[in-house]
Amino acid sequence: MEKIDHSKMTEEEFLAQYDPTQFPKGPYLAVDNVLFAVEELPNDNIRKLSEKRLQVLLVKRTEHPFLGLWSLPGIFPGWEETLEEACLRSLRLKSHLQDIHLEQLYTFSNPRRDPRTRIVSTSYMGLVNKSMLPHIEASPTAEWFTIGSSDFPKKLAFDHAMIIEYGLQRIRNKLEYTDIAFSLLPKEFTLAQLQQVYEIILGKSLSKANFQRKIKDKVESTNTYQTGGFRPALLYKHKKPA
Amino acid sequence: MEKIDHSKMTEEEFLAQYDPTQFPKGPYLAVDNVLFAVEELPNDNIRKLSEKRLQVLLVKRTEHPFLGLWSLPGIFPGWEETLEEACLRSLRLKSHLQDIHLEQLYTFSNPRRDPRTRIVSTSYMGLVNKSMLPHIEASPTAEWFTIGSSDFPKKLAFDHAMIIEYGLQRIRNKLEYTDIAFSLLPKEFTLAQLQQVYEIILGKSLSKANFQRKIKDKVESTNTYQTGGFRPALLYKHKKPA
């Protein structure tokens, strides 16, 4: 085929004759959601903090490849939607979750990451407090799994274990330099509650002294007390940076 | 066409018959580089710090669309390369720059961002010290532009002005919570040199007192002095977190 000098055309003429299929085929594109949730376990003892745990939403593969394994909820984006819109669509379809705040996590592009064909995946991440979600309807294929628990699937589809690990690192970093912890708490909270959120996300215990040094500039006292526990605990609120 | 129940097949049988072209066409995928550089201007006065400025690498569009406008160096990734490899290939091809450390910035997916067709772009970002680059060969189409200068193009191709703005925000954040400033300096440096790097990246002047409070935990004295200036200046080095 003779090479055409497109610069002789106007941009309108160029766009009218532009045919992307004449170029070598590039990678396909998919999206995947890493949706974390803090779950609060039922608590009979009002003198103790209710136990919390960090979970991630997985869906069971009902198709090849990796049929029967658990995977992140994902989808192929449509021609007319942003990747974030595609993520929200897949959450609606696969888990009935709506209006979740998502942020872009990373685009994974290892040429061997999908056995079907060359598929690049842009992942989005969210973090919700299950007790604050208005409504979670059960879905036949979606389920929350507690990170680090013995129930967590030993093997996930595709590179999704790595994507979850990447998401965990991101929210752990965000604990340090953003307000993410406060989005999981009521407006007024005790330092014990805040420390518990940190410990769940970091996946380890913190000493009370170290923890309080770390967060002292992020909170301020409300001068009111939470009653009902063993002894009244001072309530704090998030101190927005000046 | 009759719907086939693929779950009756083995995964191998499924993959052997898998044809991605049978599905609705998804977005195309491109990559773009936001490569920042710190340039040191020639300096005749050894009593003063040489002036530095922050630049970004742009290439002139030699094709439609946006023919003649400046744009970020980008490319369509090949079938067998990661997106980062594609970025490095485009830097080699368009600017002869090699072995640049890149990190993924963001994937831009507005359906209207490219007038040709639906093209999603994953951007990668780098930051180099031009005086530390072994060799920059001139390229007919690539040029460094100083951010904020009157020479900076008023209009860039595609959404590339927005991508550069996003990259600027990222390196400004990275100043706070990473070691990025030290990668632009020799092993031993004066606080004035470090402050200058901060000011170039932040695009504003800092008071000496504020600046020194901000970085006091990140540096330690070498107990040696830089001589040659108006008065000897204490040399510092980067103090790695414990």
Side-chain angles (χ1 to χ4, degrees):
Chain A
M1 197 173 85
E2 208 185 334
K3 190 148 166 57
I4 303 164
D5 182 2
H6 295 116
S7 64
K8 297 273 193 296
M9 301 177 182
T10 67
E11 182 161 319
E12 287 65 34
E13 287 164 349
F14 167 80
L15 291 174
Q17 62 81 53
Y18 183 81
D19 173 18
T21 62
Q22 72 188 290
F23 300 107
K25 188 158 55 181
Y28 291 85
L29 184 58
V31 293
D32 287 299
N33 287 287
V34 187
L35 188 59
F36 293 113
V38 172
E39 184 184 52
E40 205 161 317
L41 299 185
N43 183 17
D44 293 334
N45 183 350
I46 59 160
R47 297 196 173 179
K48 280 180 63 184
L49 280 181
S50 57
E51 201 192 319
K52 295 193 180 69
R53 25 187 227 184
L54 185 64
Q55 301 188 313
V56 67
L57 188 71
L58 300 177
V59 293
K60 196 169 227 169
R61 299 269 316 154
T62 57
E63 288 175 6
H64 287 304
F66 303 110
L67 176 68
L69 287 191
W70 293 91
S71 66
L72 295 171
I75 209 162
F76 288 98
W79 193 257
E80 287 288 343
E81 64 188 353
T82 65
L83 301 185
E84 185 174 348
E85 286 163 354
C87 278
L88 291 168
R89 181 165 59 89
S90 97
L91 286 178
R92 278 196 308 275
L93 286 173
K94 300 195 178 179
S95 70
H96 305 296
L97 286 166
Q98 302 216 32
D99 302 324
I100 302 292
H101 175 77
L102 296 175
E103 68 168 62
Q104 195 179 98
L105 181 61
Y106 196 78
T107 298
F108 292 86
S109 67
N110 184 315
R112 305 273 168 266
R113 60 174 297 285
D114 193 309
R116 286 171 293 191
T117 182
R118 175 75 201 280
I119 303 178
V120 167
S121 170
T122 299
S123 52
Y124 278 73
M125 183 181 82
L127 175 61
V128 295
N129 183 337
K130 274 165 88 173
S131 69
M132 292 178 177
L133 285 178
H135 180 64
I136 303 186
E137 199 174 320
S139 145
T141 57
E143 221 169 281
W144 295 100
F145 285 88
T146 297
I147 287 171
S149 78
S150 58
D151 299 338
F152 199 87
K154 298 284 167 285
K155 185 172 166 17
L156 297 180
F158 306 104
D159 52 358
H160 290 184
M162 188 178 74
I163 298 178
I164 292 171
E165 190 52 45
Y166 196 92
L168 272 175
Q169 283 178 26
R170 174 76 63 90
I171 51 170
R172 286 169 183 167
N173 284 336
K174 286 176 80 80
L175 260 194
E176 304 290 333
Y177 65 89
T178 76
D179 300 340
I180 197 171
F182 302 99
S183 71
L184 298 170
L185 288 167
K187 269 215 161 53
E188 303 193 342
F189 47 82
T190 66
L191 290 188
Q193 285 178 309
L194 183 59
Q195 181 167 346
Q196 195 189 37
V197 165
Y198 269 70
E199 291 180 339
I200 290 159
I201 292 179
L202 295 176
K204 62 180 183 191
S205 304
L206 301 170
S207 88
K208 195 166 158 182
N210 268 341
F211 169 72
Q212 295 197 358
R213 194 161 45 242
K214 190 199 287 277
I215 54 90
K216 71 176 179 343
D217 294 333
K218 294 186 176 182
V219 296
E220 59 188 327
S221 164
T222 65
N223 295 314
T224 57
Y225 286 81
Q226 183 189 58
T227 51
F230 185 68
R231 52 176 189 179
L234 188 53
L235 285 166
Y236 287 80
K237 62 181 180 180
H238 178 209
K239 184 169 140 191
K240 302 251 158 61
Chain B
M1 199 174 86
E2 209 184 335
K3 189 147 168 60
I4 304 163
D5 182 2
H6 295 117
S7 63
K8 296 273 193 294
M9 301 177 183
T10 66
E11 181 161 319
E12 287 65 33
E13 286 165 349
F14 167 79
L15 292 174
Q17 62 81 53
Y18 183 81
D19 172 17
T21 62
Q22 72 188 287
F23 300 107
K25 188 158 56 181
Y28 291 84
L29 184 58
V31 293
D32 286 300
N33 287 287
V34 187
L35 188 59
F36 294 113
V38 172
E39 184 185 52
E40 207 160 318
L41 297 185
N43 183 16
D44 293 334
N45 184 349
I46 59 160
R47 297 195 171 178
K48 282 179 63 182
L49 280 181
S50 57
E51 201 191 321
K52 295 192 181 69
R53 21 187 231 186
L54 184 64
Q55 302 189 311
V56 66
L57 189 70
L58 300 177
V59 293
K60 197 170 227 168
R61 299 268 316 153
T62 57
E63 288 176 5
H64 287 304
F66 302 111
L67 176 67
L69 287 191
W70 293 91
S71 66
L72 294 170
I75 209 162
F76 288 99
W79 193 257
E80 288 287 345
E81 64 188 353
T82 65
L83 300 186
E84 185 174 347
E85 286 164 353
C87 277
L88 290 168
R89 181 165 59 89
S90 97
L91 286 178
R92 278 197 308 276
L93 285 172
K94 299 194 179 181
S95 70
H96 306 296
L97 285 165
Q98 302 217 32
D99 303 324
I100 302 291
H101 175 78
L102 296 175
E103 68 169 63
Q104 196 180 96
L105 182 60
Y106 196 78
T107 298
F108 292 87
S109 67
N110 184 315
R112 305 275 168 267
R113 60 174 298 284
D114 193 310
R116 285 172 293 190
T117 182
R118 176 75 201 280
I119 303 179
V120 167
S121 170
T122 298
S123 53
Y124 278 74
M125 184 181 79
L127 174 60
V128 294
N129 184 337
K130 274 166 87 174
S131 69
M132 291 178 178
L133 285 178
H135 180 64
I136 303 185
E137 199 174 319
S139 147
T141 56
E143 219 170 281
W144 295 99
F145 285 89
T146 298
I147 288 171
S149 78
S150 58
D151 298 338
F152 199 87
K154 298 285 167 284
K155 186 173 167 16
L156 298 180
F158 305 103
D159 53 358
H160 290 184
M162 189 178 74
I163 297 179
I164 292 171
E165 190 52 45
Y166 197 91
L168 272 174
Q169 283 178 27
R170 174 77 62 91
I171 51 170
R172 285 168 183 167
N173 284 337
K174 287 178 78 82
L175 259 194
E176 304 291 333
Y177 65 86
T178 76
D179 300 339
I180 197 171
F182 302 100
S183 70
L184 298 170
L185 288 168
K187 269 216 161 53
E188 304 193 343
F189 48 83
T190 66
L191 290 188
Q193 285 178 309
L194 182 60
Q195 181 166 345
Q196 194 189 36
V197 165
Y198 269 70
E199 291 181 340
I200 291 160
I201 292 180
L202 295 176
K204 63 180 182 192
S205 303
L206 302 169
S207 88
K208 194 168 159 183
N210 268 341
F211 169 73
Q212 296 197 357
R213 194 161 46 241
K214 189 197 287 275
I215 55 90
K216 71 176 178 342
D217 294 333
K218 294 185 175 182
V219 297
E220 59 187 328
S221 164
T222 64
N223 295 314
T224 56
Y225 284 82
Q226 184 189 59
T227 51
F230 185 67
R231 51 175 193 180
L234 189 53
L235 285 166
Y236 287 79
K237 62 180 179 180
H238 177 210
K239 184 169 141 192
K240 302 252 156 62

